[in-house]
Amino acid sequence: MPTVVNYKDYIRAIQDFPIKGITYRDIQPLLANETVFRNAIKDMGNLIDKKPEYWIALESRGFLFASALSMIYGGGIRLIRKKGKLGNSQLVRVDYGLEYGKDSFEMACFPEKTGTKVVIVDDIYATGGTMQAAETLCKKVGYEVTDQLCLIDIGIVEQHEVKCLINY
């Protein structure tokens, strides 16, 4: 059963950031409150059916959520970083679109068994570009994506399969 917390009370809306027409959802008040953050992590973890072998953390705020999920529910963490941030020579890269631009993700290839079950974790679901890029990277590495999880869905895409704790 989910914790009874109105998480939206801990999300600050900043208009016209980073560019005009975008409403930035600032999660810092949620992170600053230890109890609310802990409850949010537990409630996020309860959105998925089966715990993964790895939580796939998207740079950079996804690192916070994947780490906390790993500590509570078990499983390791693998990182997806922005282009040029990983020193590994065995990288897979995917370009993707944002609601206000373009970027690239990279992931290090580790020798794992094919079909390792993973859950992709980020803080915000916007247009779906980062989730799609992350899923593509995971599949290229040989992982089986069993779920995709975000703290917040900002409401740009009406129908999707990413599980989100907070919906706008």
Side-chain angles (χ1 to χ4, degrees), residues 71-113:
M71 295 295 291
I72 291 174
Y73 293 102
I77 301 167
R78 293 285 190 227
L79 304 180
I80 291 181
R81 305 278 325 253
K82 302 262 175 106
K83 182 173 126 183
K85 300 278 184 144
L86 292 169
N88 189 322
S89 63
Q90 303 246 321
L91 298 176
V92 177
R93 185 169 82 192
V94 172
D95 298 323
Y96 65 96
L98 301 164
E99 66 269 27
Y100 52 85
K102 293 184 189 239
D103 214 336
S104 298
F105 269 155
E106 293 179 334
M107 184 177 200
C109 296
F110 293 96
E112 313 252 13
K113 67 182 193 285

Side-chain angles (χ1 to χ4, degrees), residues 24-139:
Y24 179 78
R25 301 293 176 179
D26 182 7
I27 63 172
Q28 290 183 83
L30 184 143
L31 296 172
N33 186 307
E34 178 184 351
T35 301
V36 173
F37 181 48
R38 182 183 301 114
N39 288 339
I41 294 300
K42 288 179 182 176
D43 288 345
M44 285 176 72
N46 287 330
L47 293 175
I48 62 171
D49 297 324
K50 189 173 180 192
K51 303 314 176 239
E53 294 171 69
Y54 294 117
W55 302 92
I56 305 297
L58 277 63
E59 186 165 329
S60 67
R61 292 178 303 250
F63 295 177
L64 300 169
F65 295 95
S67 296
L69 287 160
S70 173
M71 295 295 291
I72 291 174
Y73 293 102
I77 301 167
R78 293 285 190 227
L79 304 180
I80 291 181
R81 305 278 325 253
K82 302 262 175 106
K83 182 173 126 183
K85 300 278 184 144
L86 292 169
N88 189 322
S89 63
Q90 303 246 321
L91 298 176
V92 177
R93 185 169 82 192
V94 172
D95 298 323
Y96 65 96
L98 301 164
E99 66 269 27
Y100 52 85
K102 293 184 189 239
D103 214 336
S104 298
F105 269 155
E106 293 179 334
M107 184 177 200
C109 296
F110 293 96
E112 313 252 13
K113 67 182 193 285
T114 301
T116 297
K117 293 179 177 14
V118 301
V119 172
I120 301 170
V121 181
D122 204 1
D123 64 329
I124 305 287
Y125 183 83
T127 64
T130 56
M131 276 293 172
Q132 187 174 24
E135 184 172 12
T136 299
L137 280 175
C138 288
K139 288 179 179 178

